[in-house]
Amino acid sequence: MDTRRPPRPPGAPPDSHHALAGWLGLVLLGTGCVPPHPAATPTSLGRAPPLLMQTGATPALASRIDSPRDLPAYVQADPKTQAALQGIEQAQGEAVTAGLLPNPSLAVTQSLLPFPGSPFDAQSHQGGPPQLDLQVSYPLDALLFGKRAAAQEAGRLGVDVARAEYDDVTRQRVQEALTAYYDVLQAAQLVELARSEVAQLERLEAVTERRVALGGAGAIEVDRARVARLAGSRRAVLAELARETALSRFRSRLGATGSTAQVEPSGNLEVVEAPPPPDLDTALRLAEAHRPALLVARRRSALARAELTREQRAAWPTLSVTAGYTRQFQQQAIGFPDVNAWGAGLEVSLPLLDRNQGAIARGRATVRQSELLLESTRVEARAEVEQALATYATARQVVLTLDAQALESAASANQRVERAYELGGRTLLEVLDAQAAYRDALREHISANAELLRALHQLHFLLGTEWPP
């Protein structure tokens, strides 16, 4: 993993970070601390990866992720995200059901039949006459009393809620993948730092052996240098383990399977620019408009009101109209000609006892509950946004000011002490202390950059949109 920045593009304004990175690269290469690598593209914090995705066909996925903006495509293929997508399909199915017209009913009956063994006879055993009835009925209450319209509205809002919930799940999965992505990049850079530490300590051990051979230092100095090198090798092994652990966690966040099971992130933690954070009022307005958790809460509140209306409409009576055809078989039973007849009717229930009181009471409680949950979500959102703004502002200040100063001072001290040691003007312990301080500053630099990137994307996650817009 390359920890250096590329040179400043021609015509670009002066940048202290570009100048510092170039100077440090020369120092590190000059001391043998960092082997040369191909230049990686620094990260600009001006834009963030899109955290919401459109549903549709999953695109072909590469085994290497070069930018965090590629993560949504991988998250879309995650089985957990695909499972959440089924919630939209279920809600759409319920909406279709709510919009269907009721079916008519057909009743076929034959009545006034003689008992077996005792047929009707017009001369000696009159009865009946047997008749066949065909009746078709159709319910009208769903149309006349607004029951169907209320159910359709509840179904439509149910789809809106399912879409918002899917967006929220998707955003959470992308945010988890982003955090794991930067964890891997941070661990990879720490591996490079550990390897360069081993190379630097091997070089220091060789210098010490030459000084001892020339009589400029005691033999114990070689043992101290060897112990330091072995300790550095142990830290390099642990850094490799930490990287593998972070990579495994990253793949699990993507739900990587099949061709993407061995997907690896690549990139750079170096920061070119970091936009200033928005003020609190602006951030809260953005969160109110775009944050999926708030959208879910608002849509659930609207759905609860629509479901209450549906239950209130259900309290209206049932109403159906009936039309029928009757055929009477009179000739044999009573001696008169067979006749055809028809009839019509209206059937309505009398809601005297059951007026859907329980469902209406439950609906009112659900409406109140959804309103309280919406207010609770707003309170939580405000607290989270305030904390995210403070975290990002602090991380930005550390990277843009304090971190650069500390790294520059540690690099300068390390270079001077190493040169003085080669000339016999410093002790081995002083060199080891200077190198340790410099490596600590590099570790802090890597951690600070990773923390800044994570803080910005956490802010984007809580706002529900990118900053700056």
Side-chain angles (χ1 to χ4, degrees):
M1 183 65 60
D2 187 3
T3 60
R4 298 176 295 116
R5 301 171 187 257
R8 182 168 60 89
D15 186 345
S16 60
H17 289 277
H18 281 296
L20 176 59
W23 183 83
L24 289 178
L26 292 176
V27 171
L28 298 180
L29 290 174
T31 59
C33 180
V34 178
H37 296 280
T41 303
T43 303
S44 173
L45 298 189
R47 307 300 291 173
L51 298 187
L52 292 179
M53 300 180 297
Q54 301 296 326
T55 60
T58 302
L61 301 176
S63 61
R64 194 170 191 84
I65 300 178
D66 297 321
S67 168
R69 299 189 69 85
D70 297 333
L71 288 175
Y74 289 81
V75 172
Q76 189 177 13
D78 177 11
K80 182 176 288 189
T81 307
Q82 291 292 316
L85 181 62
Q86 300 309 307
I88 299 178
E89 307 245 353
Q90 294 169 5
Q92 289 173 336
E94 293 176 359
V96 170
T97 300
L100 296 177
L101 292 172
N103 291 318
S105 298
L106 172 66
V108 180
T109 60
Q110 190 163 11
S111 59
L112 301 179
L113 298 175
F115 281 105
S118 181
F120 291 136
D121 184 270
Q123 304 300 325
S124 60
H125 187 206
Q126 293 184 350
Q131 68 181 38
L132 174 67
D133 296 296
L134 301 176
Q135 290 186 334
V136 177
S137 62
Y138 192 80
L140 296 178
D141 54 289
L143 302 176
L144 296 180
F145 302 143
K147 296 180 180 180
R148 178 170 175 264
Q152 284 180 302
E153 179 65 10
R156 183 186 66 80
L157 292 174
V159 174
D160 289 344
V161 169
R163 290 186 182 279
E165 289 176 341
Y166 172 74
D167 288 343
D168 194 29
V169 169
T170 300
R171 184 173 291 272
Q172 291 178 19
R173 296 293 291 173
V174 172
Q175 176 61 20
E176 292 172 359
L178 271 170
T179 300
Y181 174 85
Y182 289 121
D183 288 345
V184 174
L185 295 187
Q186 179 180 356
Q189 289 200 354
L190 290 177
V191 167
E192 291 296 327
L193 178 61
R195 290 173 179 172
S196 67
E197 176 186 4
V198 173
Q200 187 181 40
L201 291 174
E202 288 175 347
R203 176 177 172 276
L204 181 63
E205 184 179 6
V207 171
T208 303
E209 289 174 349
R210 289 198 299 270
R211 289 190 61 187
V212 171
L214 296 174
I220 192 174
E221 298 291 295
V222 175
D223 294 332
R224 288 175 177 172
R226 184 175 297 113
V227 169
R229 175 179 58 79
L230 293 175
S233 299
R234 182 171 61 253
R235 286 191 290 271
V237 171
L238 295 177
E240 291 280 2
L241 176 61
R243 181 187 179 279
E244 291 300 319
T245 301
L247 184 58
S248 176
R249 185 167 55 250
F250 170 70
R251 289 168 177 166
S252 71
R253 294 294 185 269
L254 294 183
T257 58
S259 61
T260 63
Q262 300 301 316
V263 64
E264 288 195 30
S266 64
N268 192 295
L269 290 177
E270 294 299 327
V271 175
V272 174
E273 58 179 350
D279 60 83
L280 180 59
D281 291 339
T282 300
L284 292 177
R285 283 196 301 270
L286 291 172
E288 184 69 27
H290 300 287
R291 183 171 175 173
L294 286 170
L295 295 177
V296 169
R298 285 202 300 273
R299 291 179 181 180
R300 281 178 178 169
S301 181
L303 175 61
R305 290 192 293 272
E307 290 178 339
L308 173 60
T309 300
R310 183 187 62 192
E311 299 300 338
Q312 290 172 334
R313 298 288 175 84
W316 285 71
T318 59
L319 174 68
S320 60
V321 293
T322 303
Y325 163 78
T326 300
R327 172 74 174 179
Q328 288 188 335
F329 302 95
Q330 303 180 128
Q331 184 67 47
Q332 180 179 349
I334 59 176
F336 292 98
D338 296 345
V339 296
N340 297 317
W342 71 276
L346 181 68
E347 183 179 356
V348 60
S349 66
L350 300 177
L352 301 177
L353 303 176
D354 181 0
R355 295 188 296 276
N356 206 29
Q357 297 96 321
I360 292 174
R362 183 180 66 246
R364 289 191 178 122
T366 302
V367 169
R368 181 58 180 159
Q369 182 186 49
S370 66
E371 291 172 349
L372 292 173
L373 289 176
L374 174 58
E375 188 61 29
S376 173
T377 303
R378 285 196 177 103
V379 172
E380 292 176 358
R382 181 184 181 89
E384 291 175 349
V385 168
E386 287 178 344
Q387 182 178 356
L389 287 173
T391 301
Y392 173 66
T394 301
R396 180 174 180 270
Q397 181 183 12
V398 167
V399 169
L400 298 184
T401 57
L402 305 179
D403 179 62
Q405 298 172 10
L407 191 59
E408 182 177 4
S409 299
S412 176
N414 176 62
Q415 185 184 34
R416 289 196 302 269
V417 170
E418 278 198 352
R419 289 177 178 174
Y421 179 70
E422 292 179 2
L423 298 175
R426 294 286 185 175
T427 66
L428 177 63
L429 291 180
E430 289 176 314
V431 175
L432 292 176
D433 287 343
Q435 289 180 347
Y438 178 57
R439 286 190 294 271
D440 288 343
L442 279 176
R443 290 189 187 94
E444 290 296 327
H445 173 69
I446 294 171
S447 299
N449 282 343
E451 182 59 30
L452 176 59
L453 291 165
R454 283 191 288 260
L456 179 67
H457 290 301
Q458 177 67 13
L459 180 61
H460 290 164
F461 169 69
L462 295 175
L463 296 182
T465 187
E466 297 175 345
W467 174 261

